[in-house]
Amino acid sequence: MAAAPVWSVDPRTGNPREQVAVEATAEEVDRAVRAAHAARGALADRTVRAAFLRTAADLLAGAEEHVIEAADAESALGPARLTGELARTAAQLRAFAEVVDEGAYLDIHIDHEDGSRTPPWPDLRRYKIPLGVVAVYAASNFPLAFSVPGGDTASALAAGCPVVVKAHPDHPATSELCASLLRRAAAQHGLPEDVLTVVHGFEAGVELVKHPLVSAAGFTGSVRGGRALFDAAAARPTPIPFHGELGSLNPVVITEAAAAERGEQIGAGLGGSMTMGVGQFCTKPGFVFAPSGPAGDQLLKSLTETVSGTGSGVMLDHRMRDAFVQGVAERAALPDVDAPVTPGAGGEHTVSAGFLTVPAGRLAQEGPHDALLEECFGPVTVVARYDSADEITAVLSRLPGNLTATLQIATDEAAGGAAGLLAELTPVAGRVLVNGWPTGVAVAPAQHHGGPYPATTSTSTSVGATAIERWLRPVSYQSTPEALLPPELREDNPQHLPRRVDGRRA
């Protein structure tokens, strides 16, 4: 039986553009993983790894015109958005090169022998080592930053782990192009090109997570697909860590005082955030608490004007478009749900933005309105009109885990009752914002892009310097002669790495 072809498809028309590859067979996945496994030793040198990551960033930036052209043809995200995404992707690679150079991620601890303690301490030296081959499942909505050259790949390579990427079917040509650039960067530094490999196909993704030489996996996508892979990772004879980002509502609480103080500004900001990228950001504010009464009405008027002025957009593929159209129709048909701006089909290949409103009391208990508490991927948000703080509390207690939660407060609330609301939002999400909007995730050391399930399947972040921790495990050496110790743990610290010695930072 011939392998199924992998086509690059234009989402603006639904027409195939070119055949890029064929879906990988189980045997081809096995060869890719075994080749990656064999390349582990070549990544051991931290200096070479850092140089490789910087060269990969340079090659991506140097091929900007071709990469953006390919990504736009397959995603319809537009050159402006993709130019920014490419810059972010290159910056991530360079940032992880700096992480590798600094070496703090190794988390080195040295405790010298101390017989005066009870019980006595032997000489102990601890640091972190790479897990092994990492499987990365590329995201649909970021063909660069969360795909082949994205944060999962960059952080895994920085940790010293070879990567096999299961390409997303929405952008196979972009995936192959980016893979070729990263493989060329590896070769320039004497590394095997197989430190980074791409495979295509649904079955290839299943085979990948089951492969006995795969040591960990990173995923960004749907709850259904991610949970299936998560369960497969746990069901292996040797379970592996599965760091999945599966879905998020990203609730927003707008206090009555905030709505009264700047309702027009908040409505416009909400409209811009929820329609950004045709509503296809994982951090899109998809559920909003707005007060009943005149202040909330004014806010919704501003939101209506902003969303009404947003033109139709092309989603990443027609399957997502159809799911969006069906999803908003089902939600709009529920009792007491209104659509001040009706979301749905904007044309044969496009969608139109909109939002739904519902009394918050409808969501306080289990029922058919629970669909409003589930993510609807695309340019729509649900506004729950509340009459009291108790209604906010009741609905917040029913929300699933989220990547973000946002609190909009008035100027004089910062030192007052807002602390209680902030405390209620903190258990719901991994990143809590005040008077901002969640779309846009800064690639910074203090960033946390993760949250309680189903936002993510682990407590780790997929963005920022600490994303490297997902691909490492600690090991301690006890009473080991100096000559046998890894260089990172030797007494003279030849690499000048940051570490804690006898409990103190050295």
Side-chain angles (χ1 to χ4, degrees):
M1 182 177 177
V6 175
W7 289 91
S8 173
V9 177
D10 183 350
R12 294 179 173 94
T13 65
N15 296 327
R17 298 177 56 248
E18 59 176 329
Q19 181 181 339
V20 174
V22 295
E23 295 186 357
T25 64
E27 292 76 14
E28 288 167 335
V29 171
D30 178 63
R31 284 199 295 271
V33 174
R34 291 186 181 280
H37 184 73
R40 290 173 304 150
L43 284 172
D45 189 311
R46 290 173 39 251
T47 301
V48 173
R49 286 208 311 272
F52 160 44
L53 292 170
R54 290 190 173 95
T55 298
D58 291 343
L59 291 180
L60 275 171
E64 177 178 351
E65 181 180 349
H66 298 297
V67 172
I68 290 174
E69 180 182 11
D72 181 49
E74 294 185 311
S75 70
L77 290 172
R81 148 72 193 274
L82 291 166
T83 297
E85 187 179 335
L86 179 60
R88 168 186 170 161
T89 305
Q92 285 179 157
L93 288 160
R94 295 189 180 104
F96 279 112
E98 293 177 6
V99 168
V100 174
D101 280 339
E102 183 195 29
Y105 75 96
L106 293 167
D107 195 23
I108 298 172
H109 291 256
I110 295 177
D111 294 318
H112 291 105
E113 182 178 4
D114 187 348
S116 67
R117 293 181 178 270
T118 305
W121 281 12
D123 185 273
L124 287 166
R125 296 165 187 250
R126 177 186 187 272
Y127 79 147
K128 292 182 177 179
I129 62 174
L131 287 175
V133 178
V134 170
V136 169
Y137 293 80
S140 63
N141 55 342
F142 282 85
L144 305 174
F146 282 84
S147 186
V148 171
D152 283 353
T153 297
S155 58
L157 291 171
C161 296
V163 174
V164 180
V165 182
K166 189 276 182 186
H168 196 280
D170 279 355
H171 35 79
T174 308
S175 297
E176 288 290 339
L177 174 56
C178 291
S180 70
L181 294 169
L182 266 64
R183 288 168 66 86
R184 190 193 313 168
Q188 286 186 18
H189 292 279
L191 296 171
E193 291 186 349
D194 288 330
V195 296
L196 184 285
T197 307
V198 169
V199 296
H200 299 267
F202 176 84
E203 292 299 329
V206 175
E207 291 294 329
L208 190 56
V209 79
K210 293 179 178 180
H211 198 287
L213 294 181
V214 168
S215 299
F219 171 91
T220 302
S222 69
V223 173
R224 181 180 178 184
R227 183 54 193 258
L229 290 169
F230 176 55
D231 290 346
R236 292 167 37 129
T238 302
I240 59 171
F242 183 89
H243 301 284
E245 180 189 320
L246 311 188
S248 186
L249 270 178
N250 306 301
V252 178
V253 175
I254 303 167
T255 67
E256 186 168 6
E261 179 182 83
R262 50 193 174 83
E264 184 176 347
Q265 177 187 342
I266 293 172
L270 172 59
S273 184
M274 54 140 308
T275 60
M276 185 180 295
V278 200
Q280 297 172 115
F281 278 59
C282 51
T283 53
K284 179 200 74 176
F287 188 83
V288 182
F289 292 94
S292 302
D297 292 343
Q298 184 61 35
L299 187 154
L300 258 63
K301 180 182 178 182
S302 174
L303 176 62
T304 298
E305 292 172 353
T306 301
V307 175
S308 298
T310 303
S312 296
V314 177
M315 294 191 70
L316 294 161
D317 63 39
H318 281 60
R319 177 183 56 82
M320 292 181 190
R321 176 192 174 277
D322 294 344
F324 171 76
V325 172
Q326 180 181 347
V328 295
E330 292 171 351
R331 289 163 171 78
L334 293 167
D336 292 331
V337 173
D338 294 321
V341 182
T342 303
E348 183 181 358
H349 305 291
T350 61
V351 295
S352 59
F355 68 95
L356 308 175
T357 63
V358 64
R362 274 286 196 175
L363 304 169
Q365 296 182 345
E366 185 176 348
H369 288 76
D370 286 358
L372 299 172
L373 304 181
E374 299 173 0
E375 181 185 17
C376 186
F377 194 68
V380 65
T381 196
V382 174
V383 180
R385 304 294 300 271
Y386 66 88
D387 294 314
S388 67
D390 288 343
E391 287 187 337
I392 297 176
T393 298
V395 179
L396 278 178
S397 70
R398 302 195 63 237
L399 291 187
N402 292 272
L403 294 169
T404 74
T406 300
L407 180 60
Q408 295 283 345
I409 60 174
T411 305
D412 60 0
E413 289 186 288
L421 281 172
L422 198 68
E424 287 188 67
L425 287 174
T426 298
V428 173
R431 177 164 59 106
V432 183
L433 301 86
V434 178
N435 290 352
W437 298 107
T439 38
V441 183
V443 184
Q447 183 59 270
H448 186 80
H449 190 65
Y453 184 86
T456 50
T457 59
S458 71
T459 59
S460 302
T461 179
S462 61
V463 178
T466 54
I468 195 174
E469 294 173 0
R470 296 173 296 169
W471 321 120
L472 299 162
R473 70 172 181 88
V475 61
S476 289
Y477 291 89
Q478 181 173 326
S479 304
T480 303
E482 180 87 359
L484 295 179
L485 286 170
E488 294 87 350
L489 298 180
R490 292 177 185 167
E491 194 68 21
D492 59 355
N493 193 13
Q495 299 178 15
H496 305 290
L497 294 166
R499 54 189 189 174
R500 297 187 75 89
V501 178
D502 296 328
R504 296 183 178 181
R505 191 174 297 279

